[in-house]
Amino acid sequence: MTVSATLPSPPRHLPSRPLRIAILGATGAVGQELLVLLHERGFPVAELRPLASPRSAGQDLEWQGERLRVQPVGADAFEGIDLVLASAGGSVSRQWAPVATAAGAVVIDNSSAFRMDPAVPLVVPEVNPQAAFAHSGILANPNCTTILLTLALAPLAARRPIRRVVVSTYQSASGAGARAMEELRDLSRTVLDGGEPVSTVLPHSLAFNLFLHNSPLQPSGYCEEELKMLHETRKIMGLPDLRLTATCVRVPVLRAHSEAVNIEFEEPFPVMEARELLAAAPGVELIENFETNRFPMPTDVTGRDPVAVGRIRQDLSDPRALELWLCGDQIRKGAALNAIQIAELLRDPAAADAPAGGAV
Amino acid sequence: MTVSATLPSPPRHLPSRPLRIAILGATGAVGQELLVLLHERGFPVAELRPLASPRSAGQDLEWQGERLRVQPVGADAFEGIDLVLASAGGSVSRQWAPVATAAGAVVIDNSSAFRMDPAVPLVVPEVNPQAAFAHSGILANPNCTTILLTLALAPLAARRPIRRVVVSTYQSASGAGARAMEELRDLSRTVLDGGEPVSTVLPHSLAFNLFLHNSPLQPSGYCEEELKMLHETRKIMGLPDLRLTATCVRVPVLRAHSEAVNIEFEEPFPVMEARELLAAAPGVELIENFETNRFPMPTDVTGRDPVAVGRIRQDLSDPRALELWLCGDQIRKGAALNAIQIAELLRDPAAADAPAGGAV
């Protein structure tokens, strides 16, 4: 009998003791929100280690009354760490996630680096919580627009099969990072003062303007952001053949995304039934008052957790289709909150017992 | 033999001599643009008579170096007038358009008052020019979003039948008038200065925010703006059974509307063919560079005539569908320009000989 040396397999669950947590990309918009949420949600933290590229390292952050020095990410940066919350872009994650897992940490990665890797779970805790436990050290946090969309689609898909989805997005500047938000503010002031706005962060000025999402175009004519919505939604919902088309648009809003969603089902779906399902769905808040013409707006969800859904209506052009509208905070549920909810799930597997209808 | 008294039938064509023109609602955003366009296009004007509600009358306007006093609309206001360009809202049009036609004028009305009246032509000159000549004194200018949409749909529908359209709009503040544009500027400054924006013109602050179009909701759950798109598109294109669903959204842009349009055809429609048709379509400008990721934006069309179309692509979710994106100046082609083009058409019927595929 031979004994072969194997890499240690990381634990599937996170221990229930307070955790030693590294935040990779701590100085970005999502990194900052991770700090806020760890505090707000009383996440048990034994140590908090902010990491960033050498360019951003050296700054001090304050967290729960403590001053924390941002350290440069490097070969030894993950020593003793249980959990890495990574939000520093795809190339940083590709370089450092394997180092972190080799050091024994679990990585929850907010970049697109590993999302479509069949070995990496792509998780929205309200939708496919069971998927989280199949990880091998790395779990991926989906794209913001996809997270918001699946929260609305999953409860409906669990009742009646979806035939096709047509979605148009209204995406805030925050999706392009804190510097894009600042640029929107600055250039808006320029326009108000009668000046000519010149963008340096986004490809065009977003001040009182909007443009199709500027992620790289694929041969299909779709941009990467749109294809993320297609492929990630399929993976999260466990519907590899789902038909979905998206048009992604950047709008001059600071930090909440909106989506106009047309959903064709295989059979008619009574509006009242859809409304009841969505009102009861985890992570969803119904904002829908037909008397006062009041439906979700970005300002309703800014800095808040739930995805707001409303104006659910029978599509007049197709008896089997519904129309609905949703808004969600891009930095919170679209990124930082979802990552922390995945961590909470890995600490408390019992919470995963009631999925809303996603992939296991 | 008896002779019965009949009201004089207004001439179907406008005379080719310089016209005596009244602008009803001369002080509004569209009224102001009508003045600009009459000048820019060298429209032959014998007399220009700005009219407004008693509240707005008494102001002086300058036009081509002349000072014009805005007169209150009233029973005698249309004496000697050949053409009324009306843009003062539905109730004003309902009250005064019959008075103007009784005085012998032709009325081109920008409100929704008469659009769905079977006796009133609803005209986009590039789409259904022949329809204009069936008028009985009143012609209707379509809703802004509808005008922009039909310019893109008509050339395609003339080649292959449309099965269904799903459209999401990104509508500027100008659609709610000059005061809404001013409110967007004011409240944006308030937000930038750290204040709390409180709207008085629009139902919610549009500053770094957006909301579903606030026109009255119908029992179907659709708002009036969305149903205008359905019914007016059907009438203009001569497709009474066209299946179309719209979600109309007000965004913090000043004066250009955008639309994400998904078009299902009865059979596959090669993208290259659609692109060639749209590139050659009257009133349409293709802004489409897949190399540089450059497609239409509101700032491309602000203050300009054409509707910009781009990112025409094969819908990945349906082999018979195309996706496209368009932007157009709401005040110009969405309102004032289209009205003046109707007047130009009525002066020069020969221009109506090459419709792009709309209703006659």
PDB file of all heavy atoms in Angstrom, chain B residues 99-124:
ATOM      1  N   VAL B  99     -61.763  75.442 -33.188  1.00  0.00           N
ATOM      2  CA  VAL B  99     -61.908  76.872 -33.482  1.00  0.00           C
ATOM      3  C   VAL B  99     -60.979  77.262 -34.635  1.00  0.00           C
ATOM      4  O   VAL B  99     -61.363  77.985 -35.554  1.00  0.00           O
ATOM      5  CB  VAL B  99     -61.583  77.713 -32.215  1.00  0.00           C
ATOM      6  CG1 VAL B  99     -61.646  79.212 -32.526  1.00  0.00           C
ATOM      7  CG2 VAL B  99     -62.540  77.349 -31.071  1.00  0.00           C
ATOM      8  N   ALA B 100     -59.751  76.736 -34.564  1.00  0.00           N
ATOM      9  CA  ALA B 100     -58.768  77.073 -35.599  1.00  0.00           C
ATOM     10  C   ALA B 100     -59.176  76.510 -36.961  1.00  0.00           C
ATOM     11  O   ALA B 100     -59.071  77.193 -37.980  1.00  0.00           O
ATOM     12  CB  ALA B 100     -57.389  76.549 -35.192  1.00  0.00           C
ATOM     13  N   THR B 101     -59.661  75.274 -36.983  1.00  0.00           N
ATOM     14  CA  THR B 101     -60.061  74.699 -38.281  1.00  0.00           C
ATOM     15  C   THR B 101     -61.303  75.415 -38.825  1.00  0.00           C
ATOM     16  O   THR B 101     -61.414  75.617 -40.032  1.00  0.00           O
ATOM     17  CB  THR B 101     -60.326  73.177 -38.180  1.00  0.00           C
ATOM     18  OG1 THR B 101     -61.303  72.939 -37.169  1.00  0.00           O
ATOM     19  CG2 THR B 101     -59.064  72.420 -37.828  1.00  0.00           C
ATOM     20  N   ALA B 102     -62.206  75.809 -37.927  1.00  0.00           N
ATOM     21  CA  ALA B 102     -63.394  76.553 -38.383  1.00  0.00           C
ATOM     22  C   ALA B 102     -62.988  77.871 -39.009  1.00  0.00           C
ATOM     23  O   ALA B 102     -63.654  78.375 -39.926  1.00  0.00           O
ATOM     24  CB  ALA B 102     -64.352  76.788 -37.208  1.00  0.00           C
ATOM     25  N   ALA B 103     -61.852  78.415 -38.530  1.00  0.00           N
ATOM     26  CA  ALA B 103     -61.351  79.675 -39.102  1.00  0.00           C
ATOM     27  C   ALA B 103     -60.568  79.434 -40.387  1.00  0.00           C
ATOM     28  O   ALA B 103     -60.011  80.361 -40.964  1.00  0.00           O
ATOM     29  CB  ALA B 103     -60.481  80.399 -38.074  1.00  0.00           C
ATOM     30  N   GLY B 104     -60.495  78.136 -40.800  1.00  0.00           N
ATOM     31  CA  GLY B 104     -59.859  77.840 -42.076  1.00  0.00           C
ATOM     32  C   GLY B 104     -58.405  77.380 -41.978  1.00  0.00           C
ATOM     33  O   GLY B 104     -57.756  77.147 -42.996  1.00  0.00           O
ATOM     34  N   ALA B 105     -57.901  77.230 -40.751  1.00  0.00           N
ATOM     35  CA  ALA B 105     -56.496  76.827 -40.602  1.00  0.00           C
ATOM     36  C   ALA B 105     -56.369  75.307 -40.595  1.00  0.00           C
ATOM     37  O   ALA B 105     -57.315  74.587 -40.276  1.00  0.00           O
ATOM     38  CB  ALA B 105     -55.925  77.393 -39.298  1.00  0.00           C
ATOM     39  N   VAL B 106     -55.195  74.830 -40.953  1.00  0.00           N
ATOM     40  CA  VAL B 106     -54.827  73.433 -40.738  1.00  0.00           C
ATOM     41  C   VAL B 106     -54.065  73.376 -39.413  1.00  0.00           C
ATOM     42  O   VAL B 106     -53.197  74.219 -39.162  1.00  0.00           O
ATOM     43  CB  VAL B 106     -53.949  72.905 -41.897  1.00  0.00           C
ATOM     44  CG1 VAL B 106     -53.327  71.565 -41.542  1.00  0.00           C
ATOM     45  CG2 VAL B 106     -54.777  72.799 -43.170  1.00  0.00           C
ATOM     46  N   VAL B 107     -54.434  72.407 -38.565  1.00  0.00           N
ATOM     47  CA  VAL B 107     -53.798  72.288 -37.248  1.00  0.00           C
ATOM     48  C   VAL B 107     -52.927  71.032 -37.224  1.00  0.00           C
ATOM     49  O   VAL B 107     -53.410  69.938 -37.508  1.00  0.00           O
ATOM     50  CB  VAL B 107     -54.863  72.190 -36.126  1.00  0.00           C
ATOM     51  CG1 VAL B 107     -54.188  71.988 -34.756  1.00  0.00           C
ATOM     52  CG2 VAL B 107     -55.755  73.422 -36.122  1.00  0.00           C
ATOM     53  N   ILE B 108     -51.656  71.194 -36.864  1.00  0.00           N
ATOM     54  CA  ILE B 108     -50.787  70.041 -36.595  1.00  0.00           C
ATOM     55  C   ILE B 108     -50.573  70.027 -35.094  1.00  0.00           C
ATOM     56  O   ILE B 108     -49.948  70.933 -34.535  1.00  0.00           O
ATOM     57  CB  ILE B 108     -49.464  70.141 -37.376  1.00  0.00           C
ATOM     58  CG1 ILE B 108     -49.768  70.179 -38.879  1.00  0.00           C
ATOM     59  CG2 ILE B 108     -48.561  68.963 -37.029  1.00  0.00           C
ATOM     60  CD1 ILE B 108     -48.552  70.418 -39.755  1.00  0.00           C
ATOM     61  N   ASP B 109     -51.150  69.013 -34.463  1.00  0.00           N
ATOM     62  CA  ASP B 109     -51.279  69.022 -33.001  1.00  0.00           C
ATOM     63  C   ASP B 109     -50.299  68.040 -32.364  1.00  0.00           C
ATOM     64  O   ASP B 109     -50.323  66.851 -32.653  1.00  0.00           O
ATOM     65  CB  ASP B 109     -52.719  68.638 -32.630  1.00  0.00           C
ATOM     66  CG  ASP B 109     -52.903  68.652 -31.118  1.00  0.00           C
ATOM     67  OD1 ASP B 109     -52.255  69.483 -30.448  1.00  0.00           O
ATOM     68  OD2 ASP B 109     -53.682  67.806 -30.617  1.00  0.00           O
ATOM     69  N   ASN B 110     -49.492  68.554 -31.453  1.00  0.00           N
ATOM     70  CA  ASN B 110     -48.488  67.721 -30.785  1.00  0.00           C
ATOM     71  C   ASN B 110     -49.028  67.015 -29.541  1.00  0.00           C
ATOM     72  O   ASN B 110     -48.326  66.231 -28.930  1.00  0.00           O
ATOM     73  CB  ASN B 110     -47.284  68.590 -30.412  1.00  0.00           C
ATOM     74  CG  ASN B 110     -46.092  67.757 -30.016  1.00  0.00           C
ATOM     75  OD1 ASN B 110     -45.725  66.830 -30.726  1.00  0.00           O
ATOM     76  ND2 ASN B 110     -45.510  68.049 -28.858  1.00  0.00           N
ATOM     77  N   SER B 111     -50.257  67.288 -29.143  1.00  0.00           N
ATOM     78  CA  SER B 111     -50.804  66.638 -27.942  1.00  0.00           C
ATOM     79  C   SER B 111     -51.384  65.274 -28.311  1.00  0.00           C
ATOM     80  O   SER B 111     -51.453  64.895 -29.477  1.00  0.00           O
ATOM     81  CB  SER B 111     -51.897  67.502 -27.322  1.00  0.00           C
ATOM     82  OG  SER B 111     -53.130  67.276 -27.988  1.00  0.00           O
ATOM     83  N   SER B 112     -51.820  64.556 -27.288  1.00  0.00           N
ATOM     84  CA  SER B 112     -52.411  63.239 -27.552  1.00  0.00           C
ATOM     85  C   SER B 112     -53.914  63.326 -27.811  1.00  0.00           C
ATOM     86  O   SER B 112     -54.564  62.307 -28.014  1.00  0.00           O
ATOM     87  CB  SER B 112     -52.141  62.313 -26.364  1.00  0.00           C
ATOM     88  OG  SER B 112     -52.758  62.821 -25.205  1.00  0.00           O
ATOM     89  N   ALA B 113     -54.472  64.558 -27.839  1.00  0.00           N
ATOM     90  CA  ALA B 113     -55.931  64.728 -27.887  1.00  0.00           C
ATOM     91  C   ALA B 113     -56.593  63.991 -29.052  1.00  0.00           C
ATOM     92  O   ALA B 113     -57.639  63.372 -28.889  1.00  0.00           O
ATOM     93  CB  ALA B 113     -56.274  66.219 -27.944  1.00  0.00           C
ATOM     94  N   PHE B 114     -56.004  64.063 -30.237  1.00  0.00           N
ATOM     95  CA  PHE B 114     -56.685  63.548 -31.432  1.00  0.00           C
ATOM     96  C   PHE B 114     -55.980  62.347 -32.059  1.00  0.00           C
ATOM     97  O   PHE B 114     -56.406  61.861 -33.101  1.00  0.00           O
ATOM     98  CB  PHE B 114     -56.804  64.666 -32.479  1.00  0.00           C
ATOM     99  CG  PHE B 114     -57.520  65.887 -31.980  1.00  0.00           C
ATOM    100  CD1 PHE B 114     -56.818  67.044 -31.650  1.00  0.00           C
ATOM    101  CD2 PHE B 114     -58.901  65.881 -31.829  1.00  0.00           C
ATOM    102  CE1 PHE B 114     -57.482  68.173 -31.182  1.00  0.00           C
ATOM    103  CE2 PHE B 114     -59.581  67.001 -31.367  1.00  0.00           C
ATOM    104  CZ  PHE B 114     -58.858  68.151 -31.034  1.00  0.00           C
ATOM    105  N   ARG B 115     -54.883  61.905 -31.430  1.00  0.00           N
ATOM    106  CA  ARG B 115     -54.034  60.921 -32.122  1.00  0.00           C
ATOM    107  C   ARG B 115     -54.762  59.646 -32.527  1.00  0.00           C
ATOM    108  O   ARG B 115     -54.524  59.103 -33.592  1.00  0.00           O
ATOM    109  CB  ARG B 115     -52.838  60.544 -31.238  1.00  0.00           C
ATOM    110  CG  ARG B 115     -51.791  61.634 -31.151  1.00  0.00           C
ATOM    111  CD  ARG B 115     -50.641  61.176 -30.272  1.00  0.00           C
ATOM    112  NE  ARG B 115     -49.737  62.273 -29.958  1.00  0.00           N
ATOM    113  CZ  ARG B 115     -49.011  62.337 -28.859  1.00  0.00           C
ATOM    114  NH1 ARG B 115     -49.082  61.370 -27.951  1.00  0.00           N
ATOM    115  NH2 ARG B 115     -48.221  63.360 -28.646  1.00  0.00           N
ATOM    116  N   MET B 116     -55.642  59.168 -31.641  1.00  0.00           N
ATOM    117  CA  MET B 116     -56.296  57.903 -31.948  1.00  0.00           C
ATOM    118  C   MET B 116     -57.667  58.102 -32.587  1.00  0.00           C
ATOM    119  O   MET B 116     -58.402  57.144 -32.821  1.00  0.00           O
ATOM    120  CB  MET B 116     -56.379  57.031 -30.687  1.00  0.00           C
ATOM    121  CG  MET B 116     -55.011  56.597 -30.155  1.00  0.00           C
ATOM    122  SD  MET B 116     -53.881  55.920 -31.424  1.00  0.00           S
ATOM    123  CE  MET B 116     -54.813  54.484 -31.943  1.00  0.00           C
ATOM    124  N   ASP B 117     -58.016  59.342 -32.919  1.00  0.00           N
ATOM    125  CA  ASP B 117     -59.265  59.627 -33.634  1.00  0.00           C
ATOM    126  C   ASP B 117     -59.129  59.085 -35.057  1.00  0.00           C
ATOM    127  O   ASP B 117     -58.211  59.467 -35.788  1.00  0.00           O
ATOM    128  CB  ASP B 117     -59.464  61.156 -33.643  1.00  0.00           C
ATOM    129  CG  ASP B 117     -60.787  61.569 -34.280  1.00  0.00           C
ATOM    130  OD1 ASP B 117     -61.286  60.842 -35.175  1.00  0.00           O
ATOM    131  OD2 ASP B 117     -61.309  62.621 -33.892  1.00  0.00           O
ATOM    132  N   PRO B 118     -60.038  58.189 -35.463  1.00  0.00           N
ATOM    133  CA  PRO B 118     -59.902  57.589 -36.801  1.00  0.00           C
ATOM    134  C   PRO B 118     -59.928  58.626 -37.913  1.00  0.00           C
ATOM    135  O   PRO B 118     -59.396  58.380 -38.998  1.00  0.00           O
ATOM    136  CB  PRO B 118     -61.113  56.657 -36.900  1.00  0.00           C
ATOM    137  CG  PRO B 118     -61.617  56.481 -35.513  1.00  0.00           C
ATOM    138  CD  PRO B 118     -61.212  57.692 -34.730  1.00  0.00           C
ATOM    139  N   ALA B 119     -60.519  59.798 -37.652  1.00  0.00           N
ATOM    140  CA  ALA B 119     -60.606  60.824 -38.699  1.00  0.00           C
ATOM    141  C   ALA B 119     -59.341  61.676 -38.765  1.00  0.00           C
ATOM    142  O   ALA B 119     -59.226  62.547 -39.632  1.00  0.00           O
ATOM    143  CB  ALA B 119     -61.819  61.718 -38.448  1.00  0.00           C
ATOM    144  N   VAL B 120     -58.423  61.464 -37.836  1.00  0.00           N
ATOM    145  CA  VAL B 120     -57.224  62.314 -37.763  1.00  0.00           C
ATOM    146  C   VAL B 120     -55.990  61.507 -38.157  1.00  0.00           C
ATOM    147  O   VAL B 120     -55.685  60.496 -37.526  1.00  0.00           O
ATOM    148  CB  VAL B 120     -57.054  62.893 -36.339  1.00  0.00           C
ATOM    149  CG1 VAL B 120     -55.731  63.634 -36.206  1.00  0.00           C
ATOM    150  CG2 VAL B 120     -58.220  63.818 -35.992  1.00  0.00           C
ATOM    151  N   PRO B 121     -55.268  61.927 -39.178  1.00  0.00           N
ATOM    152  CA  PRO B 121     -54.020  61.220 -39.535  1.00  0.00           C
ATOM    153  C   PRO B 121     -52.968  61.397 -38.437  1.00  0.00           C
ATOM    154  O   PRO B 121     -52.850  62.473 -37.851  1.00  0.00           O
ATOM    155  CB  PRO B 121     -53.573  61.918 -40.819  1.00  0.00           C
ATOM    156  CG  PRO B 121     -54.723  62.730 -41.283  1.00  0.00           C
ATOM    157  CD  PRO B 121     -55.561  63.045 -40.082  1.00  0.00           C
ATOM    158  N   LEU B 122     -52.256  60.332 -38.195  1.00  0.00           N
ATOM    159  CA  LEU B 122     -51.155  60.335 -37.226  1.00  0.00           C
ATOM    160  C   LEU B 122     -49.913  60.050 -38.059  1.00  0.00           C
ATOM    161  O   LEU B 122     -49.755  58.940 -38.583  1.00  0.00           O
ATOM    162  CB  LEU B 122     -51.400  59.246 -36.183  1.00  0.00           C
ATOM    163  CG  LEU B 122     -50.416  59.142 -35.029  1.00  0.00           C
ATOM    164  CD1 LEU B 122     -50.479  60.377 -34.141  1.00  0.00           C
ATOM    165  CD2 LEU B 122     -50.700  57.887 -34.204  1.00  0.00           C
ATOM    166  N   VAL B 123     -49.025  61.031 -38.167  1.00  0.00           N
ATOM    167  CA  VAL B 123     -48.048  60.980 -39.260  1.00  0.00           C
ATOM    168  C   VAL B 123     -46.596  61.088 -38.790  1.00  0.00           C
ATOM    169  O   VAL B 123     -46.239  61.964 -38.012  1.00  0.00           O
ATOM    170  CB  VAL B 123     -48.331  62.119 -40.273  1.00  0.00           C
ATOM    171  CG1 VAL B 123     -47.345  62.077 -41.432  1.00  0.00           C
ATOM    172  CG2 VAL B 123     -49.771  62.038 -40.780  1.00  0.00           C
ATOM    173  N   VAL B 124     -45.783  60.167 -39.273  1.00  0.00           N
ATOM    174  CA  VAL B 124     -44.329  60.322 -39.252  1.00  0.00           C
ATOM    175  C   VAL B 124     -43.926  60.404 -40.729  1.00  0.00           C
ATOM    176  O   VAL B 124     -44.026  59.411 -41.448  1.00  0.00           O
ATOM    177  CB  VAL B 124     -43.637  59.122 -38.562  1.00  0.00           C
ATOM    178  CG1 VAL B 124     -42.117  59.298 -38.583  1.00  0.00           C
ATOM    179  CG2 VAL B 124     -44.151  58.966 -37.143  1.00  0.00           C
TER     180      VAL B 124
END
